Amino acid sequence: MSTGVRRRMGVEERRQQLIGVALDLFSRRSPDEVSIDEIATAAGISRPLVYHYFPGKLSLYEAALQRAAEDLASRFDEPHEGPLGARLLRVMRRYFDFVDDHGPGFSALMRGGPAVPADGVGSREHASATNALIDSVRQAAYDRILSHLGVAEASARLELVVRSWISLAESTALLWLDGRRVPRAELETQLVHDFAALAAVSAAYDPDTAALLRTMMRDEPADGPFAELAGRLVSLAS
Amino acid sequence: MSTGVRRRMGVEERRQQLIGVALDLFSRRSPDEVSIDEIATAAGISRPLVYHYFPGKLSLYEAALQRAAEDLASRFDEPHEGPLGARLLRVMRRYFDFVDDHGPGFSALMRGGPAVPADGVGSREHASATNALIDSVRQAAYDRILSHLGVAEASARLELVVRSWISLAESTALLWLDGRRVPRAELETQLVHDFAALAAVSAAYDPDTAALLRTMMRDEPADGPFAELAGRLVSLAS
């Protein structure tokens, strides 16, 4: 403000600011290591005022997690246009952007255990709230993929391919975060190839997946990621 | 005993019996749902006597988990003889035997959160002890695979392939447990194929993995699981 007097925030605005500040801190270091004092300092308010908006670190962590989950799910938005391989590659880039931005917090969360303040009470409720949130993001990814594939009802085998690939994307991102020894762009392409490869393996057992794979491949340009993989596999097999 | 008098067990023998009884119960239902009373009844002793050997359900659960982890790791034992695909398939069969035997307990454990009694205190220590145990089994699987591949020091990309495949095997088993809608024998073969497929994808970026893949394929019989996959991929790509 031009007067130099700090503008007073409304309750909801202050809550949102605190969530943003906390998410930033929880992302950059393991959430266990972030204190309420630090959050207060970063937000430019007193510790008691933080407690006025959030009863404790746990509730602030859960609110930050909720915002991160919405952010991540929004990165799965992708127009239903153009070849599937290129669509998936764009989503993978945004996924790794997210992972890159939230590294330590993402690792702590996905590696399980009470990612934050056990504090004695509430750790069980916290764990199940956290798991429910992670599951909701996985489910959003799953629904989005099926919709891009044009599949309304997946066979058990196709469901397994898609869900297990989602977990492969998670573990690949987690392994990448541990040392970042492989360029992330390579892993983004690799995960697109992995999807096609896992589908190709499953297609042997499942006519639905085989039909889907043929459709996917048919629409791919000769220089797209799926075609590139197919060429490579042929040369490996020969 | 022929006298009809129940033989008194030694301390260590009783502890081992309790661990076995508890593991059986923790495997068949979600560990959260198993009470000390039930364990006492199943072991044929009183509730206070259970507490004499284990201070609480948490320590009994951790002891059971330790035994399960040793059991699982022992199933990775496989002679260094014959084609790699067939070796991996035998390990996958024993892995699914384990998963089949410990279904609900395995799911509860791997789906994260305090798989057992939060009890207020100790849940953080429990979570980290549990994670360390899970990691030790993953590490045993990783070491065993590298040793079968004849690799002393894995490149970053090969390490990523092997570790992400291990996590794929976990998620595939967990998805299978949820409804068992796909025959497990099919998934055992599929995971062997998945290993080859993920290695083939990574081989594009990594000469070490490519060289390894060529060695793997060279030693495979024409009717082995790897050769079967290669043939299938070629026909899909054409």
Side-chain angles (χ1 to χ4, degrees):
Chain A
M1 304 252 103
S2 55
T3 58
V5 176
R6 209 186 299 170
R7 187 170 60 85
R8 270 187 85 142
M9 290 187 183
V11 172
E12 193 46 36
E13 193 184 359
R14 176 63 85 188
R15 275 181 58 92
Q16 293 306 323
Q17 181 224 7
L18 276 170
I19 292 171
V21 166
L23 177 56
D24 185 47
L25 288 168
F26 289 144
S27 298
R28 283 191 275 145
R29 295 210 315 282
S30 175
D32 293 341
E33 296 163 9
V34 177
S35 70
I36 285 280
D37 280 327
E38 245 179 299
I39 295 167
T41 305
I45 64 176
S46 68
R47 181 187 163 92
L49 198 53
V50 174
Y51 283 112
H52 176 72
Y53 294 100
F54 292 93
K57 188 172 139 186
L58 195 56
S59 69
L60 191 44
Y61 178 71
E62 287 181 351
L65 215 53
Q66 177 73 47
R67 183 183 288 183
E70 285 161 13
D71 174 13
L72 178 53
S74 77
R75 302 192 191 212
F76 305 152
D77 287 341
E78 173 66 33
H80 284 232
E81 285 160 23
L84 285 166
R87 293 185 215 171
L88 190 54
L89 184 56
R90 282 189 294 268
V91 174
M92 284 300 95
R93 284 197 190 124
R94 291 193 298 267
Y95 175 63
F96 271 84
D97 283 343
F98 177 91
V99 170
D100 212 349
D101 286 348
H102 300 85
F106 182 77
S107 290
L109 174 66
M110 302 305 288
R111 287 189 53 73
V116 145
D119 278 356
V121 272
S123 65
R124 175 186 295 260
E125 290 70 19
H126 169 61
S128 73
T130 302
N131 282 339
L133 207 57
I134 294 173
D135 280 344
S136 76
V137 176
R138 287 179 183 145
Q139 186 62 39
Y142 176 75
D143 292 341
R144 212 60 68 90
I145 291 172
L146 285 198
S147 124
H148 277 274
L149 294 176
V151 172
E153 192 76 46
S155 67
R157 288 171 182 83
L158 179 60
E159 178 174 346
L160 198 94
V161 167
V162 176
R163 291 197 192 274
S164 67
W165 176 83
I166 290 169
S167 102
L168 185 75
E170 281 174 23
S171 58
T172 299
L174 282 170
L175 289 162
W176 172 71
L177 281 173
D178 185 14
R180 305 191 181 210
R181 291 179 297 147
V182 178
R184 53 167 270 200
E186 196 177 294
L187 297 182
E188 293 159 8
T189 313
Q190 188 172 306
L191 280 165
V192 175
H193 289 172
D194 288 344
F195 184 84
L198 296 180
V201 168
S202 179
Y205 308 98
D206 186 28
D208 287 1
T209 307
L212 187 68
L213 199 66
R214 276 192 296 272
T215 312
M216 275 161 57
M217 293 301 189
R218 199 185 51 213
D219 296 341
E220 284 300 300
D223 61 347
F226 284 156
E228 188 197 330
L229 171 69
R232 188 138 22 89
L233 290 173
V234 170
S235 76
L236 259 169
S238 64
Chain B
M1 307 253 102
S2 55
T3 58
V5 175
R6 208 188 298 169
R7 186 171 61 86
R8 269 187 85 143
M9 290 188 184
V11 172
E12 194 45 37
E13 192 184 359
R14 176 64 85 188
R15 274 182 56 91
Q16 294 305 323
Q17 180 223 9
L18 275 170
I19 293 170
V21 165
L23 178 56
D24 185 47
L25 288 169
F26 289 144
S27 299
R28 283 190 276 144
R29 296 211 315 282
S30 174
D32 293 341
E33 296 163 10
V34 177
S35 70
I36 285 280
D37 280 327
E38 245 178 300
I39 295 167
T41 304
I45 64 176
S46 69
R47 179 187 164 92
L49 198 53
V50 174
Y51 283 111
H52 177 71
Y53 293 100
F54 292 94
K57 188 173 139 185
L58 195 56
S59 69
L60 190 44
Y61 178 70
E62 286 180 350
L65 214 52
Q66 177 73 46
R67 182 183 287 184
E70 285 159 12
D71 174 13
L72 178 53
S74 77
R75 302 191 190 213
F76 304 152
D77 287 340
E78 173 66 32
H80 285 233
E81 285 161 22
L84 285 166
R87 294 185 214 171
L88 190 54
L89 184 56
R90 283 190 294 269
V91 174
M92 285 300 95
R93 284 196 190 123
R94 292 194 296 266
Y95 175 63
F96 271 83
D97 283 344
F98 177 90
V99 170
D100 211 350
D101 285 349
H102 300 85
F106 182 77
S107 289
L109 174 66
M110 302 305 289
R111 287 191 51 74
V116 143
D119 277 356
V121 272
S123 66
R124 175 186 295 261
E125 290 71 18
H126 170 61
S128 72
T130 301
N131 282 339
L133 206 57
I134 294 173
D135 280 344
S136 77
V137 175
R138 286 179 184 147
Q139 187 63 38
Y142 176 75
D143 293 341
R144 211 60 67 92
I145 290 172
L146 284 198
S147 124
H148 277 274
L149 293 176
V151 173
E153 192 75 44
S155 66
R157 288 172 182 82
L158 179 59
E159 177 174 345
L160 198 94
V161 167
V162 176
R163 291 198 191 274
S164 67
W165 176 82
I166 290 168
S167 103
L168 186 76
E170 281 173 23
S171 57
T172 299
L174 281 170
L175 289 162
W176 172 70
L177 280 173
D178 185 15
R180 306 190 180 209
R181 291 179 296 147
V182 178
R184 54 168 268 198
E186 196 177 295
L187 297 182
E188 293 159 8
T189 314
Q190 188 173 305
L191 280 166
V192 175
H193 290 171
D194 288 343
F195 184 84
L198 296 180
V201 168
S202 179
Y205 307 98
D206 186 28
D208 288 1
T209 308
L212 187 69
L213 200 66
R214 275 192 297 273
T215 312
M216 275 163 56
M217 292 304 189
R218 198 186 52 213
D219 297 341
E220 283 302 299
D223 60 347
F226 283 157
E228 187 196 330
L229 170 69
R232 188 141 19 89
L233 290 174
V234 170
S235 76
L236 260 169
S238 64

